[in-house]
Amino acid sequence: MNEKTMDKLIREFPGNITEAIKIAGEARLREPQSEIRNVVVCGMGGSGIGGKIVSQWVYNDLEVPFTLVNDYVLPAFVNENTLLIASSYSGNTEETLSAVEDGLSKGAHIVAVCSGGKLQAMAEEKSFDVIVVPGGNPPRASLAFSLVQLVSILEKLELVTIRYSAQLEKSVELLLANESKIKEEAIEIADFLFEKMPIIYSTSLFEGVAIRTRQQLNENAKTLCWHHVIPEMNHNELVGWSGGDKRFASLFLINSDIYERNAFRLSVSKKVMEEKGAGTMVVYSKGESRVEEAIYFIHLVDWVSFYLSEKNKVDPIAIPVIDYLKGELE
Ligand code: PA5
């Protein structure tokens, strides 16, 4: 692991997208032997979340089912018509390696994304494709690489029609043009969340962003966090606010083209929470596509998690609990 600080790693996010697009452009993939009728992405934590975010970008475009697996075993439908994308930054995460073994035994067409490790060795030995990304950083600080490789695999195998890599290039411009504003907003959000348990709400097609936010607050700021989506939270969780619990702070991360009825649901939900004395904050994204809006939020919440780690006086890089757990499992 290198000695980069988390703020430096976050600052590198736009540049990482550009570098990842270049790597994707140079990657050569094998032609699948059978028609692809479903896509499965397996990966854990900072390497798995890219799959969730990409599944929401291609929601209105990809015409075959897209399933995420954050576990050891693949679903029963996996067969030679499955494109299995295995994402593990280290290449050594046991759940992901197990899912790949399962995919191999079921004849899936496999493409791995990793920085090396056992996954790269397995790809070379079993002759499936592997895209190797630069290593040495915490996996969660390398999200740009998994996001870009995942969409580019779908583009190269002609499973999608929209050019997501072009939207990612535009996202880089958006981030660079708004860098200081993003940091100012992140400081305000970190102030709002400080000493509270953050509850993140988004619309359902931005749930990947809400989960990423939770993960970054867990791992960088070392705080518990919860997330839910609109409209589903209106049918259960909103009732949970009835008791007026002041330990929580609700952060709404809202895309600019929110469906009208969901915007109305948001305003009523916010009112219910405020009437019970809870703090609420609504943040709107920027950008002209779902990709740009998600990338804007990802960068914003990365900075929030960094500023909150400073306020919490914790090291945003070290994750001794995960290291301990992985050690115990060896
Ligand atoms: O952010 C982290 O460090 C973790 O969430 C890891 O991503 C997770 O443990 C999986 O490891 P890897 O990304 O190496 O597959």
Side-chain angles (χ1 to χ4, degrees):
M1 197 69 68
N2 65 33
E3 292 307 310
K4 283 184 186 166
T5 55
M6 187 53 83
D7 55 328
K8 185 164 188 321
L9 289 165
I10 295 173
R11 218 170 293 124
E12 286 176 357
F13 181 63
N16 285 349
I17 296 177
T18 307
E19 190 184 345
I21 291 172
K22 190 165 172 284
I23 294 171
E26 286 162 3
R28 296 284 163 267
L29 299 183
R30 291 172 177 82
E31 195 69 29
Q33 296 301 298
S34 312
E35 185 193 350
I36 298 299
R37 297 200 192 126
N38 57 73
V39 176
V40 176
V41 174
C42 62
M44 306 302 298
S47 292
I49 186 59
K52 177 75 185 176
I53 294 168
V54 168
S55 73
Q56 304 196 304
W57 289 350
V58 301
Y59 187 81
N60 305 106
D61 185 10
L62 181 72
E63 287 185 3
V64 296
F66 191 131
T67 304
L68 295 167
V69 174
N70 311 114
D71 210 328
Y72 291 84
V73 182
L74 298 177
F77 66 76
V78 170
N79 59 21
E80 66 283 358
N81 299 113
T82 302
L83 166 64
L84 174 64
I85 306 178
S87 173
S88 169
Y89 187 70
S90 62
N92 291 324
T93 297
E94 64 175 43
E95 296 94 320
T96 313
L97 293 171
S98 158
V100 171
E101 291 282 6
D102 198 10
L104 280 168
S105 71
K106 290 172 168 158
H109 180 82
I110 304 176
V111 183
V113 180
C114 60
S115 67
K118 292 180 188 160
L119 188 55
Q120 182 180 4
M122 202 194 269
E124 284 160 6
E125 192 194 321
K126 308 278 182 184
S127 299
F128 59 82
D129 285 323
V130 58
I131 302 175
V132 180
V133 299
N137 291 321
R140 62 191 180 282
S142 303
L143 178 62
F145 292 98
S146 59
L147 285 175
V148 172
Q149 302 320 319
L150 292 183
V151 287
S152 101
I153 292 165
L154 299 179
E155 283 178 7
K156 283 187 177 179
L157 298 183
E158 296 179 358
L159 293 166
V160 289
T161 57
I162 295 171
R163 282 205 58 239
Y164 297 93
S165 21
Q167 296 185 355
L168 282 158
E169 275 165 17
K170 279 193 76 193
S171 312
V172 173
E173 289 166 27
L174 180 75
L175 296 187
L176 296 178
N178 287 282
E179 192 67 51
S180 52
K181 190 183 168 299
I182 289 173
K183 281 165 136 181
E184 276 166 34
E185 197 169 21
I187 291 170
E188 264 177 58
I189 299 171
D191 286 345
F192 167 69
L193 298 179
F194 183 50
E195 292 184 327
K196 298 277 183 191
M197 159 118 159
I199 315 246
I200 313 300
Y201 293 114
S202 70
T203 57
S204 38
L205 280 180
F206 280 72
E207 186 176 11
V209 168
I211 297 173
R212 166 71 175 182
T213 308
R214 169 166 62 69
Q215 294 178 344
Q216 290 296 77
L217 294 179
N218 292 154
E219 293 190 55
N220 291 349
K222 274 71 181 172
T223 181
L224 281 169
C225 180
W226 175 243
H227 87 274
H228 209 328
V229 293
I230 299 169
E232 176 62 18
M233 63 81 73
N234 277 182
H235 298 271
N236 37 66
E237 184 162 303
L238 194 58
V239 188
W241 286 93
S242 308
D245 202 320
K246 297 194 178 61
R247 291 171 299 173
F248 304 118
S250 293
L251 176 65
F252 292 84
L253 298 177
I254 303 300
N255 46 300
S256 58
D257 63 342
I258 180 171
Y259 185 66
E260 199 187 331
R261 294 295 291 165
N262 283 335
F264 191 52
R265 286 176 179 277
L266 158 63
S267 65
V268 178
S269 307
K270 192 168 162 296
K271 197 166 129 214
V272 169
M273 292 170 194
E274 284 165 359
E275 277 169 2
K276 296 292 175 189
T280 64
M281 185 172 187
V282 183
V283 178
Y284 289 93
S285 191
K286 284 194 185 308
E288 287 166 12
S289 63
R290 201 177 292 153
V291 171
E292 282 179 69
E293 292 208 44
I295 292 288
Y296 182 90
F297 269 148
I298 289 166
H299 199 44
L300 174 69
V301 301
D302 277 3
W303 279 118
V304 173
S305 70
F306 171 74
Y307 291 122
L308 197 56
S309 76
E310 287 199 319
K311 293 174 85 70
N312 287 344
K313 299 189 175 32
V314 292
D315 175 0
I317 297 255
I319 42 166
V321 179
I322 297 181
D323 296 339
Y324 162 76
L325 183 77
K326 286 185 175 176
E328 288 291 296
L329 286 164
E330 263 167 23

